[in-house]
C-alpha cells in the first residue's frame, strides 16, 4: 500500500520541564534539579479532516503534547511535521475561553489581532471578522462587545472564530466543552463537526469526558505518563480496549464500559512524570504485570484482525 503523508505527524516527540529549586530548598532540604518528562517519546499522526481524541489521567501530558504540536512549546527532542514540513499550522482552543480572551478587547479587536498576524490588510478585517462570526453562529452585532457580555458557549464560539482567523489546518481543542452546560456542549461539538465538514480542518480533541471523545473522534489515542499506550479507530478502542490501562479507564464509565463487567480499580499509586518507572510505565499499577514489564519498554503491537489498532503492552506481544 502506498504511504500517504498525514497532515500532522510527530516523531519521537519529547517535552521536558526543568525546575531548579530555590537556594533554601537546595541547602536545607537537599532538593535537586527536577526534570518532568511531560511528553516522553510520542509518535502519532492526524490525517486531514480527521479528529483524533486524546485521553488519559490528569497530568499525563495531554495539554503539553497539544501545545508542542501547535508550536506554543518547543520540543525538547523529536519533531512535529505538517505535511512533511516543520512549519506549524495549528491553533488552540481552550477549556476556559474567558481566561484566554483579553477582557479589555472587543470581539473586533480580538479577531483583529489574529487577522493582522495572518497579514490581512486593515480595510479587509471588518469583512473577514463578520464572516468568521457568522461561521461560528454569532452576528455582526457582536463585533463591538466585550467577552464579559457573552455566555460561556458564546465565548467558546469567539475562541473558535479566533482560531479560524489564522486559517489553521489543525485545531487542538483542549477540553473545549468541559466548562459548559451539557446542552451547550452539544452545540459547540456540532459547530466543530460542521466546520470540519466545510473546511476539512483536523482536530486533536483533548477531553476527560470519554462520552465526548467517543461521539466526536474518528480515532483515539490513550496517553499514560508522557507516552501513548494504545491507539485505534474509535469503535475498536471502545469495543476492544486492549491495554490494561485503557480497560481500567473505560470501565469507569458504566454506559460505555464492557457489558456486565464491573469497574476495574487501579492498584498502586500514580507514579510521577519526574521519575517514571523503568520498563513499562504502567507496571506499578497493572494487575497483569510480568517480569519483562519492569525490564523493557514495550514495543508497539498491532492487534490481529484490527487494522490501525496498536497497543504498547508486553501482554499483547506475548499473545500475538
Ligand atoms: N509549564 C510547565 N512547567 C513545569 N511543569 C509543567 C508545565 N506544564 C505542565 N507541566 C507538568 O507536566 C506534566 C503534564 O502536564 P499537562 O498539563 O500536560 O497534563 P494534562 O494531561 O493536560 O493534565 P490535565 O488533564 O489535568 O489537564 C505534569 O506533571 C505537569 O505538572
Ligand atoms: Mg491539560
Amino acid at each position: 500500500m502506498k504511504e500517504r503523508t498525514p497532515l500532522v505527524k510527530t516523531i519521537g516527540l519529547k517535552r521536558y520541564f526543568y525546575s531548579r529549586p530555590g537556594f533554601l530548598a537546595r541547602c536545607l532540604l537537599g532538593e535537586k534539579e527536577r526534570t518532568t518528562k511531560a511528553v516522553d517519546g510520542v509518535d502519532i499522526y492526524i490525517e486531514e479532516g480527521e479528529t483524533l481524541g486524546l485521553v488519559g489521567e490528569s497530568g499525563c501530558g495531554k495539554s503539553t503534547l497539544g501545545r508542542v504540536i501547535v508550536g506554543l512549546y518547543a520540543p525538547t527532542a523529536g519533531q512535529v511535521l505538517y505535511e512533511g514540513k516543520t512549519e506549524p499550522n495549528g491553533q488552540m482552543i481552550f477549556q476556559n475561553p474567558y481566561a484566554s480572551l483579553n477582557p479589555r478587547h472587543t470581539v473586533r479587536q480580538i479577531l483583529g489581532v489574529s487577522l493582522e498576524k495572518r497579514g490581512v490588510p486593515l480595510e479587509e478585517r471588518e469583512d473577514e471578522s463578520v464572516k468568521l462570526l457568522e461561521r461560528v453562529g454569532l452576528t455582526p452585532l457582536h463585533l463591538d462587545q466585550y467577552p464579559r457580555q457573552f455566555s460561556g458557549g458564546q465565548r467558546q464560539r469567539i475562541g473558535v472564530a479566533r482560531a479560524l482567523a489564522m486559517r489553521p489546518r489543525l485545531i487542538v481543542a483542549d477540553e473545549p466543552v468541559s466548562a459548559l452546560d451539557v446542552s451547550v456542549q452539544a452545540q459547540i461539538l456540532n459547530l466543530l463537526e460542521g466546520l470540519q465538514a466545510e473546511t476539512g480542518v483536523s482536530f486533536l480533541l483533548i477531553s476527560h469526558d470519554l462520552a465526548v471523545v467517543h461521539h466526536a473522534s474518528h480515532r483515539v489515542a490513550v496517553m499514560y505518563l508522557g507516552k501513548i499506550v494504545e491507539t485505534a479507530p474509535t469503535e475498536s478502542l471502545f469495543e476492544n480496549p486492549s491495554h490494561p490501562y485503557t480497560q481500567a479507564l473505560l470501565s469507569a464509565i458504566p454506559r460505555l464500559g464492557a457489558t456486565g463487567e464491573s469497574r476495574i480499580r487501579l492498584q498502586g499509586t500514580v507514579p510521577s512524570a519526574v521519575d517514571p518507572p523503568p520498563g513499562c510505565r504502567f507496571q506499578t499499577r497493572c494487575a497483569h504485570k510480568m517480569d519483562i514489564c519492569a525490564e523493557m519498554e514495550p514495543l508497539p503491537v498491532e492487534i490481529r484482525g484490527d487494522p490501525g489498532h496498536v497497543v504498547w503492552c508486553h501482554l499483547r506481544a506475548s499473545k500475538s
Side-chain angles (χ1 to χ4, degrees):
M1 211 169 70
K2 194 163 166 272
E3 287 257 323
R4 285 193 302 132
T5 310
L7 175 70
V8 183
K9 185 179 170 141
T10 71
I11 305 168
L13 198 64
K14 295 186 181 182
R15 171 70 202 205
Y16 292 178
F17 294 105
Y18 303 96
S19 70
R20 195 171 147 74
F23 177 77
L24 284 178
R26 264 183 293 139
C27 296
L28 299 178
L29 306 171
E31 282 186 19
K32 299 203 172 65
E33 186 178 278
R34 298 192 317 171
T35 304
T36 304
K37 299 177 175 178
V39 173
D40 200 16
V42 165
D43 299 81
I44 53 169
Y45 66 90
I46 307 169
E47 301 281 7
E48 185 172 1
E50 181 181 53
T51 298
L52 177 68
L54 181 63
V55 300
E57 281 163 305
S58 186
C60 72
K62 304 180 297 294
S63 296
T64 305
L65 177 58
R67 283 166 179 262
V68 178
I69 287 177
V70 298
L72 284 176
Y73 289 157
T76 303
Q79 273 190 316
V80 182
L81 297 178
Y82 281 75
E83 289 181 320
K85 303 193 187 75
T86 51
E87 188 68 27
N89 188 355
Q91 287 293 312
M92 233 160 144
I93 55 179
F94 300 93
Q95 171 171 0
N96 182 349
Y98 197 54
S100 69
L101 300 172
N102 186 333
R104 276 187 275 276
H105 279 184
T106 62
V107 171
R108 182 193 300 275
Q109 289 169 309
I110 289 167
L111 298 179
V113 169
S114 298
L115 292 171
E116 185 180 2
K117 267 193 220 155
R118 177 155 64 84
V120 176
L122 188 59
E123 63 275 15
E124 291 172 23
R125 284 182 209 156
E126 170 143 359
D127 276 359
E128 274 285 309
S129 299
V130 168
K131 278 188 212 148
L132 287 167
L133 287 181
E134 285 172 346
R135 188 170 241 176
V136 299
L138 296 171
T139 72
L141 294 174
H142 292 118
L143 266 180
D144 292 304
Q145 296 190 353
Y146 291 88
R148 65 169 180 278
Q149 297 174 280
F150 292 92
S151 69
Q154 285 176 321
R155 279 180 208 145
Q156 193 55 292
R157 289 175 193 271
I158 299 167
V160 174
R162 180 178 59 178
L164 290 177
M166 298 297 286
R167 297 229 172 116
R169 302 288 303 277
L170 172 79
I171 294 178
V172 172
D174 193 351
E175 303 280 1
V177 298
S178 321
L180 305 174
D181 290 347
V182 174
S183 59
V184 183
Q185 289 190 353
Q187 293 170 10
I188 297 295
L189 292 171
N190 287 341
L191 169 68
L192 299 181
E193 207 175 322
L195 289 170
Q196 187 169 61
E198 246 174 75
T199 66
V201 68
S202 304
F203 288 103
L204 177 66
L205 174 65
I206 300 174
S207 181
H208 275 103
D209 188 333
L210 292 165
V212 164
V213 167
H214 186 233
H215 169 82
S217 314
H218 300 105
R219 281 189 305 125
V220 180
V222 182
M223 196 166 182
Y224 186 80
L225 270 188
K227 283 191 180 287
I228 303 299
V229 296
E230 183 164 3
T231 172
T234 305
E235 286 312 318
S236 303
L237 189 101
F238 281 88
E239 276 164 25
N240 183 24
S242 299
H243 195 286
Y245 176 63
T246 314
Q247 290 168 352
L249 206 62
L250 297 196
S251 77
I253 28 163
R255 203 160 51 84
L256 295 168
T259 43
E261 280 178 33
S262 60
R263 182 170 176 166
I264 304 170
R265 296 213 176 269
L266 287 175
Q267 308 295 312
T269 51
V270 188
S272 143
V274 173
D275 195 11
C280 169
R281 283 170 191 215
F282 188 59
Q283 51 139 322
T284 54
R285 297 166 84 195
C286 185
H288 310 282
K289 184 186 162 184
M290 306 176 290
D291 289 345
I292 189 174
C293 303
E295 290 154 17
M296 249 182 76
E297 274 199 30
L299 295 170
V301 181
E302 190 166 54
I303 303 291
R304 205 176 284 162
D306 197 355
H309 191 159
V310 179
V311 60
W312 282 253
C313 177
H314 288 301
L315 204 62
R316 301 294 149 185
S318 62
K319 274 185 188 165
S320 65

